Amino acid sequence: MYLTGEKGPYSDTSLVNDAEEQLTQLRGAQYGKTADAAQQLLGNLGHAATLIEQAVRETAAAALAAGMALEDLARWARLPADVLAEALAAHRNGQPGKER
């Protein structure tokens, strides 16, 4: 999870988006139930990943406001502290899509 959907070492969303793009390209060469099901599943997973990232940001922001240490939150979220800090700063500034 990279909290932005951008490419990076912690980007679940990026991996899903890349796979979805590859499936879209593959679709031109291969039609059928498998390709359709895979494309729909990856689209749904990409949407779910976005919602999970939003939930992580909002939960971490609430915990930070309640006095939890950033380092603890980062460890629990399995994210580098600097990535989480940037995501929370952007979230506070009302720019949830511009964390990094």
Side-chain angles (χ1 to χ4, degrees):
M1 179 178 303
Y2 206 53
L3 296 175
T4 65
E6 294 179 14
K7 295 181 188 316
Y10 299 97
S11 178
D12 292 343
T13 304
S14 173
L15 295 173
V16 172
N17 290 341
D18 289 348
E20 186 175 13
E21 183 179 326
Q22 289 175 4
L23 270 175
T24 301
Q25 293 172 1
L26 184 81
R27 221 179 135 101
Q30 179 182 1
Y31 292 96
K33 292 180 183 180
T34 302
D36 291 341
Q39 183 177 19
Q40 183 176 357
L41 177 60
L42 286 169
N44 291 340
L45 287 171
H47 179 68
T50 300
L51 293 175
I52 290 169
E53 289 179 0
Q54 181 181 8
V56 167
R57 276 192 304 270
E58 291 176 9
T59 302
L64 191 64
M68 296 300 305
L70 178 67
E71 292 75 20
D72 289 336
L73 296 173
R75 187 176 71 248
W76 298 336
R78 296 184 180 140
L79 294 168
D82 62 332
V83 170
L84 184 57
E86 288 182 29
L88 291 173
H91 182 72
R92 277 192 301 269
N93 293 329
Q95 304 169 355
K98 301 190 180 205
E99 284 85 4
R100 195 162 174 132

